[in-house]
Amino acid sequence: MLNRLFGNYLVEKGIMTENQLNTLLPVKKEFKAGLEVIAVITKAMTPAVVQEILANIDKEIEHFGEAAVNQGCITDDKLDELLAYQSNNFMKFVQLLVDQGYISYDNINHEMDHFQQKKELNDIQISALIHDDLDQCINIFVPLKSPRLKELTKTLVQTLRRIIDRDVYLEKAYTARSIQLDKYACQMIIGDMHVKFYISAPDEGLLAIANHFTGDTYATVTEDALDSVGEFINCVSGLFATNMSYENISVDMNSPEYAMEGPFISNETLYVIPIHANGYSLRAVFEVYQ
């Protein structure tokens, strides 16, 4: 989630273009972040110290981490701690930014601090994003009081990541008493809770899901594409029902519905979650029945 959020910030600042960002994401799973970048982001070493070590080692015979320990810059325990970050998705993304020359060791933390201030994130929240703590990330953007709705949101985001877009991200959710939907698919969740779960987007936004959930590819949003989005919602709801069953909460679902023209919904309890995936903007809407 943080890769896209921070990448978008860099695009807005003119440090890179949208196309350049898209070429870097998603970061390949086998790619590893260097200890130099990790040391700067975690503030285990200053950029000046990192660059001094790099300038004075023979990379063919000595690794950066080994040199840092030998020069007393970090301990063996700290080195082990830094090594554990090499597969961290955000660390890998920043490594790519450095490798491509979009950012330098000197201004990594400068840009991160500005990003944090712009997004009004505290230190605990930025740490949750860096560590990809999904529970805490959802709390940042979707501060729901209901543990069941939090679990539904978590299941939605996990499924989007796994099937649709590894770098899906959210904006701040909000409540509403009425909303006009665009093209949509939805499903009624019944049993020990009653929630109508919509995914809606204007224009071709639902292709973000339709073109990645099945083997079919659509040029425009058609009824078949909407049916695919409905099946995606059904998948999310099924996983959610399974998770709830472990807590002895009974959840079932009606058949998915969809339409090319969205309804105007009016309800005392509507939660709207803006989602960005595969270059499109869409909304998940939970209509809660008391």
Side-chain angles (χ1 to χ4, degrees):
M1 193 175 298
L2 183 55
N3 287 357
R4 271 289 173 189
L5 289 168
F6 187 60
N8 288 345
Y9 159 81
L10 296 177
V11 170
E12 290 168 7
K13 285 200 68 176
I15 291 173
M16 63 192 309
T17 67
E18 186 73 32
N19 286 338
Q20 289 169 332
L21 175 60
N22 290 337
T23 63
L24 298 184
L25 296 176
V27 180
K28 292 181 173 58
K29 290 184 178 179
E30 64 273 14
F31 183 72
K32 300 290 184 185
L35 290 179
E36 306 93 322
V37 164
I38 297 168
V40 171
I41 294 175
T42 61
K43 300 182 180 177
M45 284 181 264
T46 65
V49 170
V50 165
Q51 292 175 95
E52 182 179 353
I53 293 173
L54 288 173
N56 291 292
I57 63 171
D58 184 343
K59 293 184 179 180
E60 293 186 2
I61 61 174
E62 190 175 24
H63 295 295
F64 174 85
E66 179 186 1
V69 171
N70 290 339
Q71 294 180 33
C73 299
I74 56 172
T75 64
D76 285 319
D77 288 344
K78 176 58 74 171
L79 175 59
D80 290 340
E81 183 183 318
L82 298 181
L83 287 168
Y85 279 104
Q86 286 195 295
S87 296
N88 177 278
N89 208 33
F90 181 67
M91 301 291 182
K92 296 196 296 184
F93 176 56
V94 177
Q95 182 67 63
L96 286 175
L97 293 173
V98 171
D99 291 346
Q100 296 297 320
Y102 299 126
I103 202 168
S104 68
Y105 294 116
D106 286 328
N107 65 1
I108 289 174
N109 287 331
H110 171 77
E111 296 298 349
M112 286 188 63
D113 288 345
H114 275 249
F115 165 78
Q116 182 177 347
Q117 292 169 15
K118 182 174 182 180
K119 293 296 183 180
E120 298 180 342
L121 300 167
N122 61 39
D123 289 344
I124 293 174
Q125 290 172 329
I126 198 72
S127 177
L129 286 166
I130 290 173
H131 290 87
D132 199 27
D133 183 332
L134 187 54
D135 286 314
Q136 292 303 316
C137 289
I138 289 173
N139 285 337
I140 294 169
F141 297 102
V142 193
L144 294 167
K145 292 182 180 179
S146 166
R148 295 179 186 180
L149 290 179
K150 279 188 178 182
E151 184 62 35
L152 178 56
T153 304
K154 181 178 178 179
T155 306
L156 170 61
V157 175
Q158 286 174 325
T159 310
L160 285 166
R161 283 180 166 186
R162 187 168 63 250
I163 300 174
I164 305 302
D165 180 3
R166 279 170 49 197
D167 292 302
V168 63
Y169 67 97
L170 309 178
E171 289 184 34
K172 287 280 188 179
Y174 57 93
T175 59
R177 292 194 174 183
S178 62
I179 187 172
Q180 175 66 54
L181 294 184
D182 303 291
K183 300 170 186 176
Y184 77 98
C186 70
Q187 184 170 48
M188 187 69 190
I189 296 173
I190 57 176
D192 289 341
M193 60 187 295
H194 289 77
V195 177
K196 201 161 191 178
F197 170 19
Y198 299 83
I199 296 181
S200 175
D203 303 322
E204 312 307 330
L206 291 180
L207 295 181
I209 293 174
N211 282 347
H212 295 268
F213 184 59
T214 66
D216 299 317
T217 301
Y218 305 94
T220 61
V221 174
T222 62
E223 290 199 349
D224 285 341
L226 292 178
D227 183 51
S228 179
V229 177
E231 289 306 312
F232 171 78
I233 293 174
N234 190 58
C235 175
V236 174
S237 299
L239 292 168
F240 171 68
T242 299
N243 293 339
M244 289 293 95
S245 70
Y246 299 142
E247 300 179 23
N248 295 317
I249 297 170
S250 178
V251 173
D252 203 350
M253 299 85 68
N254 293 337
S255 298
E257 306 168 19
Y258 55 84
M260 296 291 285
E261 293 186 11
F264 179 80
I265 306 172
S266 181
N267 190 303
E268 285 293 319
T269 313
L270 293 171
Y271 297 100
V272 185
I273 306 170
I275 299 170
H276 299 269
N278 292 316
Y280 291 101
S281 299
L282 48 152
R283 295 181 294 184
V285 178
F286 300 151
E287 183 180 9
V288 181
Y289 294 85
Q290 303 298 332

